[in-house]
Amino acid sequence: MAAVKSQPTRIVIVGGGYVGMYTALGLQKKLRSGEASVTVIDPQPHMTYQPFLPEAAAGSIEPRHVVVPLRKVLKRCHVVTGRATRIEHERKAVTVELADGHVEEFEYDVLVSALGAISRTLPIPGLPEVGIGMKTIGEAIYLRNHVLSRLDQAASTNDPDLRRRLLSFVVIGGGFAGIETLAELEDMARYALRYYEGLEQSDMHWVLVEATGRIMPEVSARLGVYTVEQLEKRGIKCYLDTRVKSMEGGHVVLDDGTEFDSDTIIWTAGMKANPMLRNTDLPLDERGRVRCTAAMQVVGLPGVWAAGDCSAVPDLSRTEEDPTATCVPNAQHAIRQSKLLANNIVASLRGKQPKDYFHKYLGSVAGLGLYKGVADVFGLRFKGVVAWFMHRSYHVMFMPTVNRKFRVFVDWTQALFSGREVVALGQIHEPKAEFDRATKS
């Protein structure tokens, strides 16, 4: 007679981003009552839909609408707000530093590694002090307030050198994140200038620095060239095959000898695997990602699964031409992997075989500001308004929950008739400043 389990299978998901949230959503829908418990661990109590961060920074979307509260959507899961610091599979335990600072261990029967990648930085003098990232909703809000506050300060000074520094904006990194951030923020700032007396579009200096010879490698070379041409028509200076040597004190020095001062330096030059994975006994590849089978099972470890940015899942659509090919870290793969991953975990719990992940890359879409975009889909190339519409349609389709889809759509509709919001809420970065000033007066 088969033994009966005395308690539900304990499933622990480390990471609450695309993979973590979508996998948990799938599990809570498919698991029978009492079959398993699901715990999701993440430092933030929400999932961020990162493709919409540039539009949130530029005022086309309310920032709260590009994040999804985990506790609201994962009603049948246990959500833990904390940072996983160690995984010991030999003991089947995850060490977590919780939001209040104390440390706990969470034991598991099934583990899902769904950690997201972090910004890849380089040892460039001044980068830690003056660089601004673009990976979280907090950074998007900060950038929006920061750029608009530079316009306020520039309109208030008669010092030409200070004004030029305030109105010089630099984006380092020509991938999707960098190009969309640059294009959206420049579009917002140009729109906002109509409300500033004494400031002209020619006063602003927007700069892109990319170390390779082309931008956005996910799209065709022809669309990459078209995008650079469109950016330059807007007055944006694009430095390709160029590296930043230093940026100490906001003084930017490029390796071609160009030098200038900037008060806004945005770093989007690539991602790397989460370093926490080095504090685990999971098998890692040379890039620090978890080694997986095509079914997203961790190699050699039954009951352990991984997907997303920090997993090395074989890309079966390319392995015939390159046996070592793995899925690139993007939202397109992460969302699809997580949906299959939930099915595979349930199948495994019920004694069935998991299925291999196979997805042929469909293409890429990018927004370049209001009514401007590029798209490379199924080998077809689109530009301008059509590509911009495809960009918005694609991403709102994959935005989690009907609630968030509706809110984003309403934001877009309002912006269509009333324009962008161009108010800087810089006080949120120093919320006690006015009160402190009042207590001292």
Side-chain angles (χ1 to χ4, degrees):
M1 185 174 179
V4 179
K5 283 180 64 69
S6 59
Q7 62 180 13
T9 299
R10 297 165 300 179
I11 302 173
V12 171
I13 300 174
V14 180
Y18 298 119
V19 173
M21 193 197 75
Y22 277 106
T23 301
L25 269 174
L27 288 173
Q28 75 175 9
K29 291 176 182 177
K30 299 175 186 302
L31 289 170
R32 304 186 187 108
S33 178
E35 186 175 11
S37 65
V38 180
T39 299
V40 179
I41 301 169
D42 195 88
Q44 300 297 330
H46 57 254
M47 173 266 199
T48 302
Y49 191 71
Q50 292 180 3
F52 278 156
L53 285 181
E55 290 202 51
S60 295
I61 302 176
E62 162 63 42
R64 289 174 299 174
H65 298 165
V66 305
V67 297
V68 180
L70 295 176
R71 288 182 173 85
K72 185 174 182 179
V73 299
L74 302 179
K75 296 177 181 178
R76 294 179 55 199
C77 300
H78 178 45
V79 176
V80 176
T81 303
R83 187 178 300 277
T85 59
R86 190 174 186 81
I87 296 174
E88 297 175 81
H89 182 63
E90 188 175 353
R91 298 195 304 114
K92 292 193 172 183
V94 180
T95 303
V96 180
E97 182 180 338
L98 297 175
D100 66 354
H102 83 278
V103 175
E104 278 191 23
E105 279 194 351
F106 291 81
E107 296 181 342
Y108 63 82
D109 301 304
V110 174
L111 175 71
V112 178
S113 174
L115 290 166
I118 67 170
S119 296
R120 176 178 62 87
T121 59
L122 298 173
I124 298 174
L127 175 59
E129 292 77 24
V130 301
I132 307 169
M134 185 55 169
K135 188 165 171 56
T136 69
I137 192 63
E139 289 170 333
I141 295 171
Y142 175 81
L143 267 175
R144 169 181 169 71
N145 292 328
H146 179 82
V147 169
L148 290 174
S149 70
R150 300 310 96 170
L151 300 186
D152 287 330
Q153 292 180 32
S156 304
T157 183
N158 294 318
D159 183 336
D161 292 333
L162 176 58
R163 175 178 287 193
R164 183 175 180 85
R165 177 190 178 98
L166 290 168
L167 295 180
S168 293
F169 307 94
V170 185
V171 174
I172 302 171
F176 265 83
I179 297 300
E180 290 190 317
T181 298
L182 170 68
E184 289 287 349
L185 288 176
E186 188 274 339
D187 204 51
M188 175 195 72
R190 184 158 31 86
Y191 176 86
L193 280 182
R194 67 188 67 187
Y195 304 111
Y196 290 88
E197 294 183 8
L199 293 185
E200 303 292 338
Q201 184 176 339
S202 58
D203 294 326
M204 293 197 303
H205 306 278
W206 289 84
V207 176
L208 169 70
V209 182
E210 167 55 39
T212 68
R214 61 166 297 186
I215 64 170
M216 297 192 302
E218 298 89 345
V219 302
S220 68
R222 187 183 303 175
L223 275 184
V225 171
Y226 167 82
T227 301
V228 170
E229 292 173 349
Q230 295 305 304
L231 295 177
E232 290 185 333
K233 283 181 181 178
R234 290 159 59 172
I236 299 171
K237 178 66 176 177
C238 298
Y239 291 91
L240 304 184
D241 274 323
T242 306
R243 291 170 174 78
V244 179
K245 293 177 63 177
S246 69
M247 57 181 79
E248 291 180 290
H251 183 69
V252 180
V253 180
L254 306 183
D255 65 1
D256 67 353
T258 303
E259 297 186 30
F260 55 88
D261 292 326
S262 173
D263 214 34
T264 308
I265 302 174
I266 305 167
W267 181 267
T268 63
M271 311 302 294
K272 65 179 180 181
N274 198 305
M276 195 285 284
L277 288 170
R278 295 196 292 264
N279 295 328
T280 73
D281 51 2
L282 306 181
L284 306 180
D285 71 357
E286 65 282 356
R287 292 164 58 184
R289 303 174 302 169
V290 180
R291 293 183 182 275
C292 300
T293 68
M296 294 169 288
Q297 293 175 301
V298 174
V299 174
L301 299 179
V304 185
W305 309 76
D309 292 352
C310 295
S311 67
V313 177
D315 187 346
L316 298 183
S317 71
R318 297 190 295 137
T319 48
E320 283 190 10
E321 55 192 60
D322 179 7
T324 65
T326 56
C327 297
V328 296
N330 61 24
Q332 189 174 138
H333 281 303
I335 294 170
R336 287 174 169 83
Q337 285 176 355
S338 58
K339 293 180 179 180
L340 177 60
L341 181 54
N343 291 335
N344 280 353
I345 292 172
V346 172
S348 181
L349 290 178
R350 296 173 185 171
K352 300 178 182 178
Q353 280 293 111
K355 296 181 180 179
D356 288 346
Y357 173 75
F358 180 93
H359 171 64
K360 192 172 180 60
Y361 193 59
L362 301 178
S364 300
V365 290
L368 303 176
L370 285 177
Y371 314 120
K372 297 178 281 289
V374 292
D376 193 344
V377 181
F378 297 119
L380 301 176
R381 301 176 183 90
F382 303 89
K383 308 169 185 176
V385 175
V386 173
W388 170 80
F389 180 77
M390 292 173 66
H391 160 75
R392 286 196 161 184
S393 300
Y394 175 85
H395 285 302
V396 81
M397 179 173 65
F398 283 106
M399 184 70 189
T401 78
V402 174
N403 178 290
R404 282 306 186 267
K405 293 179 195 289
F406 176 74
R407 289 175 184 267
V408 167
F409 183 76
V410 169
D411 288 341
W412 284 339
T413 304
Q414 290 177 334
L416 184 65
F417 294 102
S418 58
R420 294 182 185 270
E421 288 291 344
V422 290
V423 58
L425 302 177
Q427 288 179 316
I428 67 173
H429 305 298
E430 295 181 283
K432 281 179 56 62
E434 285 300 318
F435 186 74
D436 290 342
R437 189 173 291 111
T439 61
K440 295 173 183 176
S441 62

